Amino acid sequence: MSLLISPAPNGLPVTAPAPETEADEESLTQPLLLNGLRRSASNTTSQVAIVGSNVCPIESLDYEISENDYFKQDWRRREKIQTLQYVFMKWMMCFFIGLLVGLVGFCNNLAVENIAGTKFVVTSNMMLARRYTTAFLVFASSNFGLTLFASLITAFIAPEAAGSGIPEVKAYLNGVDAPAIFSLRTLFVKIVGSISAVSGSLVIGKAGPMVHTGACIAALMGQGGSKKYGLNWKWLKYFKNDRDRRDLVTCGSAAGMAAAFRAPVGGLLFALEEMASWWRSALLWRAFFTTAVVAIVLRALIDVCLSGKCGLFGKGGLIMFDVTSANSAYHIWDVPPVLFLAVFGGICGSLYNFLQDRVLRIYNRINERGSAYKIVLALAISIFTSCLLFGLPWLASCRPCPSDTSEPCPTIGRNGNYKKFQCPPGHYNDLASLFFNTNDDAIKNLFSKDTDAEFHHLSMLIFFFTCFVLSIFSYGIVAPAGLFVPVIVTGAAYGRFIGMMFGSHSTLNHGLFAVLGSAALLGGSMRMTVSLCVIILELTNDLLLLPLMMLVLLISKTVADTFNGNIYDLIMRLKGFPYLECHAEPYLRQLAVCDVVTGPLQLFSGIEKVGNIVHVLKTTGHNGFPVVDEPPLSHSPVLFGLILRAHLVELLKKKAFIRDPVPAGSDAFNHFSADDFAKKGLDHGDRVENIQLTDEEMDMFIDLHPFCNTSPYTVVETMSLAKALVLFREVGLRHLLVIPKVSGRVPVVGIITRHDFMPEHVLSLHPSLAKSKWKRLRFKLPPSVKFF
């Protein structure tokens, strides 16, 4: 074994830097001796990810507060009124988040219903005049223009706004930070682009973008506004660490889902079940308060619209959606059709995820070619969608209007269940009632009760396959696009069709089958249970469906889990986010912590030379460095604590140097405050390359003791890797120090970070585990079936 020693500017030895390919890695470490003897290996996990539609660098977040002497002193000096102010600010932030997200959610629906409604009214008027070619050109060109606008602003202003945003927010709450995902321009493009893309009749939803919008609002408020655009308020700059901002983003994501579906409890449970990797009771209450504010704001604004002051908005949109079926009842013979619906829904959901994953891989190759290719792809999907939405209703035969309907038939110049399209007076086109509507209104038509004879089974089958295919190809274009609503509308068509098949063998009406079908496909694709159950119940206002809904969600999720993961996990893996699952892979139990840490490790002495610090910071991308005291500062080498890169850069910037290698004493507290070591915002702070130091200053020293976190989390080197993963994820760590099993050795033998738990890294070090029988049971398609 050889010595890997590189000379520092002062001639003293320091540890060798990490390989250039790992310039942003913080922890790839396993030293053998403190004097410089090292074993080196490289981590194979990536430090970049696809954010929106661009490839961007990522880094980990540290949800553990660094408890150095300044932090402790700040808390000791804090009076009771300051503690109350801190708690009050948290609740006030939640109130403003709920208020703003509720307003944005309402305005989104208002804009979509009016823009799309105007388009459909103009097209329908031309259809009434039998100007079919002109009607198609108006319809297609409107969709083309709206999609073009959404694609342009996304591609050139904020590529991070593409997609639903849920994978990025979920990764952030797991501890992965990507640049600009919560910026002001991302928020603007997410709102405007979502309105434009959804109004353009693409088979996409606005629920996912609303979750990202809520998270953006929460993150911007947590840092006091936008520093880049000069919109900053000092009175909001109260939360200066990643932990507090994480809590606010969690509340914002819950508020976004609540605003999308007017489901406050469902939004709360969605954040708990799907988004947050870390939860506690205090956060539960604040998130509940936030979603309650959203519900109140929506209710107040909806009352305004009921008086007819919102244009074509009327009662459209899911936030105003109610399907009450107070007389619904079911019997034991209704259970077999529901079981069939749940099992087949789970299979369809897993197939949906598989196809979506394959299509996104193709889209990523196209998007890599540049913005022009992204925009052309989006426009091609828009033209294809317009042709199908306008052309397929011609395949359906006209049906006579029912005599007992409660609304006008056919529907002309407004939303409704009975679209005239090309039919003669007194008739309607059932397929046009679904295709020639917004997705929200199509869901309302499918969920409606007492409409068993409204749709033909062939029309329902065409609508199901069309939505299934279009929703897969529409997601992934360079525009804000969600998956929730497309899956709901596709599942509703699937449930209606199953209801038609079992109509004579069940007492459930087709509208209830549509609701259960949506639940089955959502459970098979999203793999959520509790939150989906509550969201659908809040949408339909039908508690009598609760037992059947629970049964469908549990079965569909269980069936789909045997094939692949949930759709958001697949997207995160495809984007390259190093997401830590709540469960450990079984083969991790066969490994100890020491089996995955790799070298070299960077160490600092308690009193370190400035030149050594600058050299290490410039030649590595590590974020945390163990601080070890050696004689004469201690009787034997001892781990004193952990110091962060940002804190070292702050010390260099303030030039807190001493001429001799002796403890600085209490004088160090006179030059700094706790705010100097707080994270100022969502940016990555100062860089060591921007600090100018003279040769004389490079020969001086820094006493690192007051600035170290003296209580970092540590694990013994023989701990199971699976057990360490649980600790790392549940506490929200960025660094986990590995200490030796026996005394007399170096006091720290490595650092574990998130990338050391990634399957790619573990299996690259231990390839034999790839064929281990200790893996999760999952059915896989044979290679001959994987055609793309």
Side-chain angles (χ1 to χ4, degrees), residues 72-241:
K72 295 175 182 178
Q73 185 185 57
D74 180 61
W75 275 95
R76 282 194 294 264
R77 292 178 177 177
R78 185 166 294 189
E79 299 178 357
K80 184 178 293 187
I81 186 65
Q82 292 174 309
T83 303
L84 291 175
Q85 182 182 3
Y86 176 74
V87 175
F88 173 76
M89 284 294 294
K90 284 187 175 182
W91 287 95
M92 189 186 71
M93 286 286 190
C94 291
F95 172 78
F96 282 118
I97 291 170
L99 178 64
L100 292 176
V101 173
L103 288 171
V104 170
F106 176 80
C107 292
N108 273 11
N109 252 43
L110 185 68
V112 169
E113 291 293 325
N114 280 281
I115 295 173
T118 301
K119 175 186 66 180
F120 286 126
V121 167
V122 172
T123 307
S124 297
N125 290 337
M126 292 183 178
M127 293 287 291
L128 289 173
R130 298 190 177 275
R131 298 166 59 190
Y132 300 130
T133 303
T134 307
F136 170 72
L137 292 176
V138 169
F139 179 71
S141 60
S142 300
N143 294 339
F144 186 90
L146 290 168
T147 305
L148 176 62
F149 175 71
S151 301
L152 287 174
I153 62 174
T154 305
F156 294 109
I157 298 179
E160 300 82 10
S164 70
I166 289 181
E168 285 82 359
V169 178
K170 187 175 179 180
Y172 177 86
L173 295 177
N174 190 255
V176 181
D177 191 18
I181 59 172
F182 297 135
S183 65
L184 188 63
R185 57 186 173 87
T186 301
L187 174 62
F188 169 77
V189 173
K190 202 74 180 185
I191 296 173
V192 178
S194 176
I195 293 172
S196 182
V198 174
S199 301
S201 292
L202 294 174
V203 185
I204 57 177
K206 53 185 179 291
M210 271 306 305
V211 172
H212 193 182
T213 297
C216 286
I217 292 173
L220 289 170
M221 292 190 65
Q223 69 170 354
S226 175
K227 186 189 302 183
K228 180 179 179 180
Y229 298 100
L231 302 175
N232 234 305
W233 296 275
K234 292 183 178 180
W235 65 277
L236 286 177
K237 294 181 181 179
Y238 209 83
F239 304 108
K240 300 176 181 178
N241 58 74

Side-chain angles (χ1 to χ4, degrees), residues 5-17:
I5 302 176
S6 59
N10 60 359
L12 297 178
V14 296
T15 57

Side-chain angles (χ1 to χ4, degrees), residues 328-350:
S328 64
Y330 46 88
H331 306 280
I332 191 64
W333 53 83
D334 294 320
V335 175
V338 172
L339 292 179
F340 175 83
L341 179 143
V343 172
F344 199 72
I347 297 173
C348 288
S350 61

